[in-house]
Amino acid sequence: MLQLVKTWIVARYTFREMIKSKILWNVVLLGIVIAIITFVAAEFTFGVPHRVALDLGLGSLSVSSYGIAILIGIGLIKKEEESRTIYLIISRPVSRVSFLAGKLLGVSSFLVLNILILSLVTILVVKTMGGEISSLVLFAMLFSCLEATLLLLVVVLLSLIANTAISLMGSLLVLITGHAIAETSKILFVTTKPWLKTVVDSMNFVFPAFHRFNIKDYVLYQNTIEGSQLLMVVGYWFAYMMGLFFLAAIIINKKNMD
Amino acid sequence: MFNLNNITKVFKSDLLVDPFVALNNVSFGVPEGAMVGFLGANGAGKTTSLKIVLDFIRPTSGEVSFSPTLGTSREEVRRNIGFLPERPYFYQHLTGTEFACFMGELSGLTRKDVLAKILPLAKRFRLDHAINRELRTYSKGMLQRIGFLVTLLHEPKLILLDEPLSGLDPVGRKELKDIMAEIKREGRTVFFSTHIVSDVEEICDRVVFLNKGELSYDGPVKPLLDKHMTQIWRILIPDMTNFSSSFVANRRNLGAGIEQLEVESAHKDLVVKQIVSEGISIIGIEQEKIRLEEIFYKTGKA
């Protein structure tokens, strides 16, 4: 219980430090740029400008959250070691796992804030263009939050075991593979070779299936999705997060902080 | 307050590189209420030892034990320790007050407690004018002082400092040394690493000396100085005299009309009698003192 309080304290001050940094202003600036680009792009579209606005908005909040998760996640623990602030914290009655959980929670809150700001901009632009916001759009935004936090945990886990360059490349690899894996298993070259199909399918269990969080197609073209499918994505996110966090907790506990 | 028992730490960074022995069977203890200086040249293993004490890294062999005064559980022990790492860079966008609240709350204080304590402490550390400014606007000395401030905030019984005086100007060093002396007077235990011997000689009552990962000395400062006290006496007389004695081992003109005669302790009284009998006025007489620095760095060992 006490360690949960410590986690909350670390999270609160991590979040506070981040909102006072320039990143938040960059997010706001990005929101303005997206709004302008959307208005310009809509001028060249016939019939469905609000759909273009929605597509651009959802895309930008995904990309910006990938950027923040990777760039912040890579230095989340390493920078604390280099600046020696981690020693100030873990020399107090704070466990390493609480420290890690607090840092992750703090950055995740910032990722949610980023997505919230860009979502509001998107909703505002879509509404201005006469479009409707269905509940599925809100799910797409929620799934962006889940995807970003999962990516953050992947990046932090990699940064605990590898140097900055390797963790950066590894994170990008995991992100791209996690998105491409579903489509890859469907292409003819793979389906005609059973051994390759087995390899690709088994990678589904190793890499986080980021493609599951992408419901833009449903939002833009089908406007409907099974409730159970949404629940399954949330369940998958929870299980994968728990697994990765467990692994990260073991590593940080064993790690020499030198 | 704590003991290092037969600590050995071997680093092996690469398969192709030979293992590096940072600490070799090091054992020493820090008694309660003492101000202990932890001496050694750069790379002697001081920071590694501190990291082992605080469980940031694990020793290859040996163990660290804490006195029950600090507590019985790990959490309790941590609550009673204040640690300041060497040249930390803190959180740039937090203000001094926010940073103090962060560290205080982690040590079990409430925000209200911290806010009540922060101003008197900030005044003591001459930071009251900047306590609500972001830390990125602080100078190096101010960062060191805020680091010291948050180390003392929760009133720890044991204070561990890694090179607390490095990078400070003479005024800053003097101020921090005064505060350290004050903390000691309050009955708290201070253990600090440094490679500046004069700091230890000035404020510590005990010293632990590491030399290339091995313990060279662990004990009080004064007996160590007494042990190395030389048997040479210096007698100062006016330089216009033609005084000569076969017992004078060495003589030197110090300028300003003063000549220094060096004589062995056994001959001191005899030479003084000779000087007085020749009607020469003695300006001064003192036993040659050896500094801790000379003991460590001239002999390499204590």
Side-chain angles (χ1 to χ4, degrees):
Chain A
M1 185 64 193
L2 204 62
Q3 287 303 320
L4 279 180
V5 175
K6 308 288 179 188
T7 300
W8 174 242
I9 295 167
V10 174
R12 236 174 56 217
Y13 284 97
T14 303
F15 181 71
R16 184 174 294 191
E17 159 89 348
M18 287 194 76
I19 54 168
K20 287 175 91 177
S21 69
K22 284 179 187 155
I23 311 168
L24 189 63
W25 290 112
N26 291 338
V27 173
V28 173
L29 195 72
L30 182 69
I32 295 167
V33 170
I34 288 164
I36 294 168
I37 290 174
T38 309
F39 277 116
V40 174
E43 286 298 309
F44 297 99
T45 317
F46 182 72
V48 282
H50 60 275
R51 193 178 281 175
V52 174
L54 196 56
D55 197 7
L56 271 172
L58 291 178
S60 66
L61 61 92
S62 283
V63 171
S64 69
S65 56
Y66 294 159
I68 295 174
I70 291 176
L71 294 177
I72 303 292
I74 269 182
L76 194 63
I77 306 297
K78 245 183 192 89
K79 264 171 79 177
E80 293 271 344
E81 284 180 73
E82 282 164 12
S83 62
R84 303 184 183 95
T85 38
I86 191 168
Y87 301 140
L88 280 170
I89 295 174
I90 61 171
S91 63
R92 289 163 199 269
V94 182
S95 72
R96 291 181 182 203
V97 176
S98 300
F99 167 74
L100 175 71
K103 294 302 284 184
L104 285 168
L105 194 61
V107 180
S108 298
S109 313
F110 186 79
L111 281 168
V112 172
L113 179 68
N114 162 62
I115 289 170
L116 210 62
I117 291 171
L118 295 180
S119 297
L120 283 176
V121 172
T122 306
I123 290 170
L124 208 70
V125 173
V126 171
K127 284 272 186 192
T128 311
M129 290 180 167
E132 282 298 310
I133 300 293
S134 68
S135 60
L136 217 49
V137 176
L138 301 178
F139 268 106
M141 290 163 178
L142 169 72
F143 282 8
S144 277
C145 293
L146 302 187
E147 186 184 11
T149 49
L150 180 57
L151 177 63
L152 173 72
L153 192 44
V154 169
V155 177
V156 171
L157 180 68
L158 286 172
S159 75
L160 284 174
I161 52 176
N163 64 29
T164 307
I166 292 176
S167 25
L168 176 64
M169 285 189 290
S171 307
L172 289 173
L173 181 82
V174 171
L175 179 64
I176 293 165
T177 313
H179 272 288
I181 211 154
E183 292 304 312
T184 311
S185 66
K186 286 180 201 157
I187 60 175
L188 194 64
F189 183 75
V190 176
T191 50
T192 52
K193 294 177 180 65
W195 67 269
L196 191 57
K197 179 97 172 83
T198 314
V199 170
V200 173
D201 286 345
S202 62
M203 281 167 79
N204 244 324
F205 295 100
V206 179
F207 288 92
F210 286 118
H211 61 87
R212 286 172 187 254
F213 300 97
N214 184 0
I215 56 166
K216 279 192 212 88
D217 280 355
Y218 296 99
V219 174
L220 294 171
Y221 306 110
Q222 297 176 26
N223 280 323
T224 177
I225 192 169
E226 291 279 318
S228 59
Q229 201 177 333
L230 295 174
L231 266 176
M232 256 181 68
V233 176
V234 176
Y236 175 82
W237 170 82
F238 184 76
Y240 215 100
M241 286 290 280
M242 287 297 111
L244 285 186
F245 184 74
F246 183 68
L247 210 58
I250 292 174
I251 294 169
I252 201 163
N253 263 337
K254 298 247 176 230
K255 194 172 161 64
N256 267 339
M257 298 288 177
D258 52 0
Chain B
M1 213 59 170
F2 71 89
N3 287 296
L4 266 77
N5 306 317
N6 307 107
I7 296 285
T8 295
K9 178 67 189 175
V10 181
F11 287 105
K12 182 148 177 62
S13 57
D14 205 305
L15 276 175
L16 304 172
V17 177
D18 286 339
F20 167 67
V21 182
L23 294 172
N24 187 11
N25 202 29
V26 172
S27 298
F28 65 84
V30 172
E32 199 171 330
M35 166 92 82
V36 183
F38 192 23
L39 272 175
N42 290 330
K46 303 187 296 290
T47 302
T48 303
S49 305
L50 277 171
K51 283 180 179 174
I52 287 173
V53 170
L54 289 159
D55 198 30
F56 299 155
I57 57 176
R58 273 103 200 186
T60 309
S61 64
E63 55 161 28
V64 178
S65 57
F66 291 96
S67 146
T69 325
L70 285 175
T72 44
S73 67
R74 182 189 157 96
E75 181 127 348
E76 221 179 320
V77 171
R78 296 283 164 135
R79 201 173 299 130
N80 285 315
I81 292 179
F83 173 62
L84 177 65
E86 185 184 4
R87 274 176 276 170
Y89 290 94
F90 308 130
Y91 300 98
Q92 287 191 22
H93 296 285
L94 295 184
T95 64
T97 305
E98 285 171 333
F99 180 55
C101 286
F102 184 15
M103 293 298 131
E105 285 177 52
L106 287 178
S107 293
L109 300 176
T110 62
R111 194 177 153 74
K112 208 173 148 192
D113 288 339
V114 178
L115 292 175
K117 284 176 168 205
I118 185 97
L119 258 183
L121 270 173
K123 277 186 183 146
R124 188 173 169 193
F125 282 91
R126 290 193 305 109
L127 283 171
D128 46 326
H129 65 289
I131 202 70
N132 290 318
R133 266 174 30 199
E134 287 191 358
L135 295 178
R136 68 195 163 114
T137 64
Y138 279 34
S139 69
K140 205 171 172 183
M142 287 163 83
L143 284 175
Q144 193 76 350
R145 294 209 294 272
I146 190 84
F148 214 146
L149 185 153
V150 299
T151 305
L152 301 181
L153 200 61
H154 57 293
E155 294 172 12
K157 290 177 185 164
L158 170 64
I159 295 148
L160 303 170
L161 310 164
D162 192 5
E163 303 277 1
L165 303 168
S166 70
L168 292 178
D169 59 29
V171 178
R173 292 165 67 86
K174 166 87 174 67
E175 281 171 358
L176 283 197
K177 278 190 272 189
D178 288 347
I179 290 170
M180 284 162 77
E182 214 174 294
I183 295 164
K184 190 200 171 302
R185 279 198 295 276
E186 287 167 8
R188 293 192 256 171
T189 311
V190 183
F191 181 70
F192 74 100
S193 74
T194 179
H195 57 272
I196 303 165
V197 188
S198 57
D199 289 339
V200 174
E201 195 175 347
E202 203 181 321
I203 56 174
C204 293
D205 33 31
R206 286 183 75 87
V207 61
V208 174
F209 181 61
L210 272 190
N211 188 22
K212 292 176 187 160
E214 291 188 1
L215 186 76
S216 285
Y217 180 78
D218 167 27
V221 176
K222 201 174 173 306
L224 181 69
L225 289 171
D226 291 346
K227 186 180 137 195
H228 286 85
M229 190 71 96
T230 63
Q231 296 304 306
I232 300 290
W233 282 78
R234 290 172 178 150
I235 303 168
L236 305 180
I237 58 170
D239 68 351
M240 297 302 284
T241 62
N242 292 319
F243 176 77
S244 73
S245 166
S246 55
F247 298 121
V248 174
N250 202 1
R251 60 196 307 158
R252 198 148 60 103
N253 195 321
L254 300 180
I258 298 172
E259 188 173 22
Q260 177 184 281
L261 312 174
E262 284 183 6
V263 294
E264 296 229 351
S265 198
H267 306 131
K268 176 195 53 158
D269 293 345
L270 204 67
V271 175
V272 168
K273 265 184 198 164
Q274 283 180 352
I275 294 170
V276 173
S277 67
E278 289 186 26
I280 300 166
S281 157
I282 293 176
I283 297 170
I285 179 165
E286 61 166 9
Q287 190 172 17
E288 186 184 74
K289 281 181 187 151
I290 188 156
R291 298 189 68 84
L292 200 53
E293 191 151 3
E294 291 170 68
I295 299 171
F296 286 131
Y297 295 125
K298 278 187 183 169
T299 62
K301 276 192 158 205

